[in-house]
Amino acid sequence: MEDAKFAIASAVEGQKEWVALPLYQRNEILRHFIALVQDHQEELAQAITRECGKPLAQARGEVDSICQTLDGYLAAGTTLYGKSMPVFSEKGREHDMIFTIYEPLGVIVAICPFNFPLSMFAHKVAPCLVAGNAVIVKPASDTPLSAILLANLAHQAGVPGKTLQVITGSGSELGQWLINDKAVNGVTLTGSTEVGKDIMRMAADHLQHVFLELGGNDILMIMDDFELDKAIEEACAGRLRNTGQACNGSKRLLVHNRIRKEFTDTLVARLKEAKIGDPMQEDVEVGPLVSEKAAITVEHQVLRTIQQGATLCYGGTRNGAFFTPTVLGDIRPDMDIAKDLEIFGPVFAILGFDTVEEAIAIANQSSYGLSGGILTHDMKVAFQVAKSVDTGAMVIGGHGSYRSIYQPFGGHKQSGLGVEGISETLKEFTKIKTIFLRDVL
Ligand code: NAP
Ligand code: MG
């Protein structure tokens, strides 16, 4: 508790210090930060792999994306324009003018998940700092070191220590101390829906701004006109990314009944070839899960789904923190996995359908609504599905585990509140102020 209070009191000072610097000076510091990240790319990527078991090639991609994210927010920060409004068009106000400016929110607490520890750090810290806030990062307990390494680089570049801090410890204990304080102005979380709801409750007392990026149970819908080999690769890319631990992974595969058997058999054959092993090796496609505990959870979820009537077509075995890529067939819409059971591991759940309407109904029966994908060459069907599935994003022609740093990424329904991405988030970390000029015209 003392550490949290100390961090918050320091952040209040750190925010004043930071915002006192003109934007161009803050940007110079952040540009230096980007250069340092580029110089330490390999060290950061290896830190991610060691902590969360992400295959190294994917960890390198993650580090590369944080440079692009920082760069994009720097550019966006220079055009954070307010508006001027024609008050003089209102009767009796002919001599007045009105304009708006964006001000930082103040102190933001950024709570990160284990699965993309540095990309989530960047998606939160970059807009916070560019908008002039101080930020206290609380990394996941499984992945604190990469966050500390990255924050050290920011400090080396000149971001004041009080402006950007990292505090480690259990979220369920620290959360209340970090949030239940009126000096904190906003909380941004990427994590599970359950924790998101707890945070909203905690933030209610001081009415802090709350931004939530939460769980998902996204679909990848595969029509029978799409090339089977490409569909298999899209399904694997969408589900095996980060060994199945992605919020927007393709967790429910809706496959047209005409091709369901062939699709399932080909997928199993493909997964038998997947290289599983040490994530530090360059060509490993499937690494361990973040912990043995996480793998045990997946094991239980798979067993529960089989007990509910699913057929185990492949996999289903665990060895320590490793979970074999697994294919579950004969999933019915009434099973938990077809609705809100989010499995954070390399598990392919195959649901058959006959009509597009039926598939859309299955997609929408989940309480989640993050992303999704549709594979077909019939553009009319593609748009119908993209429009009708209630999610924050839909990908036509690919799996939905696809994220652009610019898109307003974020869930509909219980997948989140607010959106994250260069096109939107900067404004979310500000408050708007209106200034009137009386009798100037
Ligand atoms: P999690 O268990 O919700 O944890 C996320 C963060 O919240 C961790 O730093 C955790 O700390 C902290 N936390 C836990 N309880 C808390 C509390 N009561 N108050 C404040 N903070 C608390 O999620 P995870 O297991 O790391 O990540 C997996 C989940 O994140 C999945 O549901 C996934 O879909 C979602 N996710 C969403 C997105 C998105 O952008 N929408 C992206 C990635 C992941 P500890 O580690 O110390 O418990
Ligand atoms: Mg957790």
Side-chain angles (χ1 to χ4, degrees):
M1 178 176 130
E2 286 78 33
D3 286 353
K5 296 293 149 200
F6 182 69
I8 294 166
S10 305
V12 170
E13 291 172 20
Q15 196 269 325
K16 290 189 189 121
E17 192 181 338
W18 184 238
V19 83
L21 292 175
L23 182 64
Y24 71 89
Q25 275 183 23
R26 284 191 261 143
N27 281 0
E28 269 167 28
I29 291 172
L30 293 175
R31 254 180 239 116
H32 187 189
F33 178 32
I34 296 172
L36 287 177
V37 174
Q38 281 162 343
D39 289 348
H40 292 78
Q41 210 146 16
E42 189 59 20
E43 187 186 341
L44 291 165
Q46 292 196 10
I48 296 177
T49 299
R50 287 207 179 88
E51 280 190 321
C52 88
K54 177 172 297 185
L56 189 57
Q58 295 179 35
R60 288 190 181 122
E62 182 170 344
V63 178
D64 191 43
S65 86
I66 64 182
C67 295
Q68 295 185 53
T69 304
L70 281 158
D71 205 39
Y73 274 110
L74 282 184
T78 58
T79 55
L80 191 59
Y81 303 133
K83 290 183 182 139
S84 75
M85 280 160 259
V87 181
F88 44 78
S89 68
E90 273 177 63
K91 204 167 169 190
R93 307 240 161 124
E94 298 83 351
H95 306 293
D96 300 346
M97 283 185 76
I98 174 173
F99 64 93
T100 61
I101 54 173
Y102 289 101
E103 296 178 336
L105 281 181
V107 173
I108 314 276
V109 169
I111 304 177
C112 297
F114 74 83
N115 60 345
F116 291 89
L118 293 195
S119 135
M120 293 303 111
F121 181 114
H123 268 289
K124 297 181 185 313
V125 168
C128 282
L129 291 183
V130 168
N133 299 286
V135 53
I136 302 171
V137 178
K138 207 305 277 174
S141 293
D142 283 320
T143 56
L145 298 177
S146 51
I148 292 171
L149 270 178
L150 191 57
N152 280 346
L153 294 179
H155 295 148
Q156 266 180 49
V159 176
K162 290 179 178 179
T163 304
L164 167 63
Q165 302 174 75
V166 175
I167 185 162
T168 58
S170 152
S172 52
E173 284 175 37
L174 259 180
Q176 56 185 315
W177 305 120
L178 286 173
I179 297 164
N180 199 357
D181 189 316
K182 69 172 193 264
V184 171
N185 308 100
V187 187
T188 167
L189 163 83
T190 297
S192 57
T193 296
E194 194 190 349
V195 170
K197 288 178 182 175
D198 281 348
I199 285 178
M200 260 201 103
R201 285 185 205 105
M202 287 190 265
D205 276 348
H206 300 294
L207 278 186
Q208 282 127 338
H209 293 246
V210 176
F211 312 98
L212 303 173
E213 295 291 342
L214 308 174
N217 202 16
D218 293 345
I219 62 140
L220 173 61
M221 187 172 155
I222 302 159
M223 296 298 288
D224 56 344
D225 67 331
F226 204 78
E227 296 79 356
L228 185 67
D229 55 339
K230 278 199 214 162
I232 295 289
E233 281 321 306
E234 285 301 319
C236 289
R239 192 57 179 126
L240 294 181
R241 191 160 78 102
N242 200 23
T243 313
Q245 301 161 110
C247 53
N248 60 354
S250 304
K251 293 174 187 140
R252 294 181 292 159
L253 299 182
L254 304 184
V255 185
H256 197 285
N257 275 330
R258 270 200 290 265
I259 55 164
R260 183 160 59 103
K261 176 152 189 343
E262 194 186 1
F263 178 89
T264 307
D265 294 345
T266 316
L267 177 63
V268 169
R270 161 70 176 77
L271 293 176
K272 284 183 179 163
E273 302 298 315
K275 183 151 184 220
I276 306 167
D278 177 358
M280 293 299 269
Q281 281 179 18
E282 302 282 337
D283 56 344
V284 159
E285 192 177 11
V286 181
L289 297 188
V290 66
S291 63
E292 184 164 6
K293 191 171 161 238
I296 291 171
T297 302
V298 171
E299 192 176 26
H300 288 157
Q301 291 172 317
V302 167
L303 277 177
R304 172 172 153 192
T305 307
I306 294 169
Q307 276 159 7
Q308 289 180 1
T311 305
L312 178 66
C313 305
Y314 181 63
T317 53
R318 182 182 67 81
N319 179 8
F322 284 88
F323 199 83
T324 332
T326 295
V327 180
L328 296 173
D330 301 317
I331 309 281
R332 295 186 317 268
D334 63 316
M335 292 180 188
D336 295 340
I337 199 171
K339 297 182 218 159
D340 292 341
L341 180 70
E342 181 189 27
I343 299 191
F344 237 46
V347 178
F348 296 75
I350 300 180
L351 291 99
F353 68 89
D354 292 312
T355 67
V356 174
E357 288 70 24
E358 188 189 339
I360 291 170
I362 297 170
N364 283 337
Q365 67 174 4
S366 176
S367 309
Y368 294 116
L370 199 50
S371 296
I374 158 86
L375 303 180
T376 178
H377 292 296
D378 184 335
M379 280 302 127
K380 215 167 166 181
V381 169
F383 282 117
Q384 181 194 354
V385 172
K387 277 279 291 153
S388 310
V389 175
D390 189 4
T391 53
M394 282 297 289
V395 176
I396 294 174
H399 63 78
S401 195
Y402 178 100
R403 179 171 181 170
S404 155
I405 56 174
Y406 292 96
Q407 85 179 89
F409 185 84
H412 289 197
K413 296 154 86 178
Q414 293 193 25
S415 285
L417 211 59
V419 288
E420 202 160 63
I422 294 163
S423 59
E424 296 286 339
T425 305
L426 207 48
K427 279 191 184 161
E428 296 206 359
F429 287 131
T430 63
K431 53 195 180 199
I432 193 159
K433 175 155 200 161
T434 303
I435 296 181
F436 292 92
L437 298 173
R438 298 289 311 271
D439 259 341
V440 290
L441 295 176

